[in-house]
Amino acid sequence: MGSNLSSEFSLPAWLPDAARLYLDHTEQGVSLRQLARREGCHASTVMRQVRRYENRRDDPLVDEALSAFGRVQENDACNISQKDATAMTAPIRQDGLKIDDATIMHEGRRVLRRLAEVDTVLAIAQDMDKAAVLRSFPDGRTLRLAVIDRSLAQAFALKDWISCEKQGRVSTYQITQAGRAAYKRMVPGDAGGMAEAPAQFGDQHRDWATRDVPEAGEERRVRYNAAESPVQVLARRRDRDGKPFLAAELVGAAEQLRMDFELAQMGPRVTQNWERFLTGGDRGSFAPDGKTGGGASDARERVSVALRDLGPGLGDMVLRCCCFLEGLEVAEKRMGWSARSGKIVLRIALQRLRLHYDTHYGKHGPMIG
């Protein structure tokens, strides 16, 4: 019995129970009846769960992860009977074994929120260590919204948060209903599904959530649409000449700032520091928190430099609308501006932000890895 349960100690805690049963049956050779007795359920229940994961191996990320975990189990078994067992030489990354549940939850809040936005997919190429969240536009353009490690994308696929939409040299994934439900559980105070009346078509791209925004020394809770940012809403509007109110390069600058902002929040107490960039704060005394890795520290530095370059007013507007996802009307009220002036100020701010990125980092902006 002890050898049959060895996978419980070698496999990560976040792995779904059905995946554990599949690996125990296929890799350890434990019969369905033995697994049923161990789990206290009927053998047919175990069989359905095992078959479900067998069918899911058509998904490249699921197949990679299960193959890697299977080799770990096989290697553990060999180490018991042969001390000098051959080390694993799998071409697939083994980092998934080191991911903890806290990391998955943290990255899930960041990535699933972006995948819940309209016209957004996760794309991953063969033999690449990173996956990218991309938004497509009607004219064929794509915009990168976030980057995630391949091992985390495998974990998302195993947990059925994402499903493969298209396989190939570059496979694309979409968020599933289970992924949307998981994201809502991750976000405290989520107001999703609380519409006053059924609005299936009018609310099809609305996914309400809340977040805390620093305001005058205290936290203020703001309700926002997680499926779209205010910039995306404004980008669909047309001016008098029929041209988009926000050009594609301005939308890209807004998304670049938002991605840096989300990466910067990986560090402790980071959200408190952004209050200094809001109206009335000290804009010159911000210093990156040195207790985090280079990626988060560099992202915080890029955001702080950009906001200093924009200055009061413009910096406040992009921080509220692009990073904290405040609506234009709410931002206008908080800033004490007249109605319908926010969209003009935001467009000017994004023009300045785009110029900042072009001047400091070149046409393609800062690289995030």
Side-chain angles (χ1 to χ4, degrees):
M1 178 66 70
S3 61
N4 292 340
L5 299 177
S6 61
S7 62
E8 295 183 0
F9 301 95
S10 60
L11 296 177
W14 56 261
L15 194 66
D17 292 338
R20 292 174 178 273
L21 294 175
Y22 174 80
L23 291 171
D24 286 346
H25 178 63
T26 58
E27 303 296 337
Q28 299 286 327
V30 184
S31 69
L32 296 177
R33 293 187 180 278
Q34 287 179 297
L35 291 174
R37 285 195 295 268
R38 189 185 75 183
E39 300 297 323
C41 61
H42 197 274
S44 61
T45 301
V46 176
M47 181 180 65
R48 285 193 297 269
Q49 295 177 345
V50 169
R51 284 183 176 178
R52 176 171 174 267
Y53 268 85
E54 180 63 36
N55 294 333
R56 293 192 62 201
R57 297 205 70 155
D58 292 336
D59 185 319
L61 289 178
V62 173
D63 184 65
E64 289 176 6
L66 292 178
S67 297
F69 288 136
R71 280 191 292 273
V72 170
Q73 288 186 311
E74 181 181 358
N75 188 74
D76 288 344
C78 292
N79 286 336
I80 295 176
S81 59
Q82 185 177 358
K83 183 177 180 180
D84 58 343
T86 303
M88 289 181 294
T89 58
I92 303 171
R93 293 82 178 163
Q94 302 288 336
D95 296 340
L97 300 175
K98 304 176 183 179
I99 301 174
D100 56 16
D101 190 67
T103 302
I104 293 178
M105 295 291 288
H106 179 276
E107 290 296 284
R109 285 190 292 269
R110 180 175 70 92
V111 176
L112 293 180
R113 180 173 68 242
R114 304 314 296 264
L115 286 174
E117 298 175 2
V118 295
D119 299 325
T120 304
V121 298
L122 183 143
I124 186 167
Q126 297 176 358
D127 301 324
M128 294 296 293
D129 292 330
K130 302 285 185 178
V133 179
L134 305 174
R135 173 181 290 123
S136 59
F137 294 90
D139 59 2
R141 294 179 296 106
T142 59
L143 181 66
R144 187 185 65 178
L145 305 180
V147 177
I148 185 176
D149 290 336
R150 189 185 192 94
S151 55
L152 281 165
Q154 292 175 358
F156 289 179
L158 281 176
K159 294 173 78 67
D160 200 23
W161 291 351
I162 57 176
S163 62
C164 188
E165 175 192 29
K166 180 182 177 182
Q167 295 187 30
R169 188 176 63 86
V170 178
S171 299
T172 57
Y173 289 76
Q174 289 184 331
I175 189 172
T176 64
Q177 290 298 326
R180 293 180 184 275
Y183 170 67
K184 290 183 178 181
R185 291 193 299 270
M186 296 174 191
V187 179
D190 183 19
M194 298 299 291
E196 295 181 359
Q200 179 177 358
F201 297 101
D203 288 350
Q204 58 182 331
H205 296 316
R206 297 179 185 176
D207 188 8
W208 296 111
T210 60
R211 74 187 311 166
D212 293 329
V213 178
E215 186 75 36
E218 59 184 17
E219 295 290 336
R220 176 173 56 85
R221 177 152 294 186
V222 175
R223 187 169 181 253
Y224 69 96
N225 183 9
E228 285 189 308
S229 69
V231 173
Q232 291 299 325
V233 175
L234 196 58
R236 290 199 299 268
R237 298 183 181 179
R238 303 279 177 172
D239 58 18
R240 295 179 179 179
D241 299 330
K243 297 180 181 179
F245 187 81
L246 293 181
E249 58 269 17
L250 301 185
V251 178
E255 294 294 350
Q256 179 68 57
L257 183 70
R258 182 181 173 188
M259 181 160 54
D260 277 334
F261 181 80
E262 291 175 348
L263 287 173
Q265 294 192 66
M266 295 169 64
R269 303 185 308 278
V270 171
T271 53
Q272 299 176 10
N273 295 332
W274 299 116
E275 183 181 357
R276 303 181 183 181
F277 289 100
L278 296 173
T279 300
D282 180 6
R283 297 175 182 273
S285 61
F286 176 81
D289 187 350
K291 296 183 179 181
T292 57
S297 177
D298 292 343
R300 286 197 301 278
E301 181 64 21
R302 288 193 294 268
V303 174
S304 64
V305 171
L307 294 177
R308 289 195 192 101
D309 195 2
L310 266 61
L314 299 182
D316 293 308
M317 199 63 182
V318 297
L319 183 61
R320 292 176 182 275
C321 295
C322 302
C323 301
F324 289 124
L325 302 182
E326 267 189 3
L328 290 173
E329 295 81 1
V330 176
E332 290 168 352
K333 183 177 179 180
R334 295 289 178 183
M335 299 288 291
W337 296 341
S338 60
R340 293 181 295 279
S341 63
K343 63 179 183 179
I344 303 299
V345 177
L346 180 59
R347 182 166 66 176
I348 296 174
L350 292 178
Q351 290 171 345
R352 287 279 302 274
L353 183 63
R354 181 71 268 170
L355 179 62
H356 166 81
Y357 283 141
D358 290 344
T359 303
H360 286 74
Y361 309 106
K363 179 179 179 181
H364 300 289
M367 300 298 293
I368 297 180

